[in-house]
Amino acid sequence: MPEKPKNDLLGIRYLSAEQIQALYQLADRFWEVLQQPTRKVAALTGSTVALLFFESSTRTKLSFELAAKRLGADVLNFSATGSSLDKGETLLDTALNILAMGVDAFVVRHRGVGSAHFLAKHLPVPVINAGDGTHEHPTQALLDTYTLYRHFGRLEGLTLTIIGDLFHSRVALSHLHIAPKVGLSLRLCAPPSLIPALWYQLGYPIYTEVVPAVAGADAVLVLRMQKERQSYPPIASWQEYSRFYQLKPEHLRPGQVLLHPGPINWGVELHPALQAWPHTRILDQVTHGVAIRMAVLYWLLRG
Ligand code: NCD
């Protein structure tokens, strides 16, 4: 029997501009569903989605779970602590055993770069990358850009500045891939030690100071220091990081949209006074994340 063609979402780099637009359009439809009193459709009734999170998560895991449930699917929640990983079971054996219970799609977060690709190669059902180490986090870039699209009504021609730990952020890498496909102009800003050397060859404007990086941008996406992935402190002291790279209210002009994928370390990358910034869309990102993940699940399982 010929092998069934299988869809995965492993990274933005594998999506075409048309596929991204199709996902936004699907998200628009599911956004409407979420505004209805029942907030549910039966689009994935009978399907089962397994969430395999080997790294901490609040937003991504819960919003994938909610997205699957809002589509009528059943959800299996795997937790690495307390599992048979402690007894030496491998990632693939773990996934194959869960598959044997009758699972139609896997959502995977793992610290290993390429872990979702590895599982996708060996599993006969769709695999969605929910963050593989420092590599990609495709649904985060989709929901960030979808939030901008809903706010401005377009993406083409907008300028987005990303400030923070570019070196260790999978969110930043997914944005490098999505920006040219949706027409966003990207600016990057970080201390020199947190700018990957190869990124200077990509053609994006790179800044080591916040003021010029933010001036005139339509939106600013701030990233957390990914301390869990840093092998040495990238800056002499955290006070210095906050002094020179923290986004403060005086950096922003009315109308500039503030984004952050979360979790936020208030007082480190964002000044606490920005909690009151009128153009913040940080919680909208979380809300839109459910619609985007409904779109991704539906597209992979039924599209
Ligand atoms: C991001 C992640 O896990 O890469 N968070 C998220 O998915 N909401 C960013 C981060 O952890 O800083």
Side-chain angles (χ1 to χ4, degrees):
M1 223 168 75
E3 214 177 298
K4 184 172 136 308
K6 178 168 82 81
N7 283 326
D8 302 294
L9 178 58
L10 300 177
I12 297 290
R13 69 182 70 199
Y14 309 108
L15 292 180
S16 66
E18 292 72 28
Q19 286 171 321
I20 293 169
Q21 293 305 327
L23 284 170
Y24 293 153
Q25 278 164 26
L26 264 179
D28 278 343
R29 277 171 50 197
F30 289 128
W31 173 263
E32 294 301 326
V33 168
L34 294 172
Q35 308 315 304
Q36 305 301 315
T38 55
R39 295 191 284 191
K40 253 188 143 160
V41 279
L44 292 188
T45 305
S47 297
T48 302
V49 177
L51 308 179
L52 263 65
F53 279 65
F54 297 85
E55 267 194 346
S56 312
S57 176
T58 300
R59 278 149 292 268
T60 307
K61 188 174 178 189
L62 289 180
S63 80
F64 264 115
E65 176 166 358
L66 202 55
K69 288 179 172 169
R70 298 281 194 233
L71 290 167
D74 292 322
V75 178
L76 259 188
N77 242 307
F78 167 84
S79 165
T81 29
S83 75
S84 288
L85 289 173
D86 301 344
K87 303 176 188 170
E89 192 160 42
T90 66
L91 174 63
L92 182 56
D93 276 346
T94 304
L96 286 172
N97 278 267
I98 294 171
L99 178 72
M101 296 176 201
V103 162
D104 303 290
F106 284 85
V107 180
V108 184
R109 171 173 285 192
H110 194 284
R111 65 196 287 267
V113 169
S115 44
H117 299 63
F118 168 73
L119 284 183
K121 201 170 152 205
H122 294 282
L123 296 173
V125 297
V127 173
I128 300 168
N129 183 2
D132 61 326
T134 54
H135 184 220
E136 273 226 45
H137 190 353
T139 56
Q140 185 67 45
L142 284 168
L143 74 89
D144 294 343
T145 50
Y146 183 65
T147 300
L148 291 177
Y149 159 74
R150 288 198 68 101
H151 179 83
F152 290 102
R154 67 187 166 96
L155 289 172
E156 194 73 43
L158 295 181
T159 299
L160 171 68
T161 299
I162 303 185
I163 307 175
D165 184 354
L166 303 174
F167 200 96
H168 301 94
S169 169
R170 50 197 174 207
V171 178
L173 194 57
S174 285
H175 272 279
L176 290 189
H177 288 291
I178 207 165
K181 293 178 181 176
V182 298
L184 271 180
S185 297
L186 208 56
R187 296 180 188 169
L188 304 165
C189 176
S193 56
L194 287 174
I195 301 169
L198 281 175
W199 289 22
Y200 286 96
Q201 296 167 25
L202 299 178
Y204 293 112
I206 294 186
Y207 298 80
T208 53
E209 287 181 23
V210 172
V211 172
V214 168
D218 297 289
V220 183
L221 173 79
V222 181
L223 299 170
R224 174 181 70 89
M225 280 290 121
Q226 316 270 306
K227 286 188 187 166
E228 70 277 21
R229 299 200 190 96
Q230 295 170 355
S231 46
Y232 60 92
I235 195 152
S237 74
W238 294 117
Q239 284 99 314
E240 255 166 34
Y241 182 79
S242 299
R243 185 168 159 214
F244 293 106
Y245 289 95
Q246 180 185 84
L247 189 72
K248 302 180 179 68
E250 60 264 33
H251 292 136
L252 294 175
R253 295 286 166 271
Q256 284 186 304
V257 165
L258 175 60
L259 302 177
H260 192 304
I264 300 173
N265 293 133
W266 292 105
V268 183
E269 71 272 19
L270 282 183
H271 191 286
L274 283 174
Q275 287 177 32
W277 181 247
H279 311 288
T280 182
R281 288 292 170 269
I282 296 173
L283 290 179
D284 287 356
Q285 288 172 271
V286 181
T287 309
H288 292 144
V290 179
I292 279 288
R293 288 172 176 131
M294 287 171 81
V296 166
L297 286 168
Y298 182 80
W299 177 60
L300 292 179
L301 283 162
R302 297 280 187 276

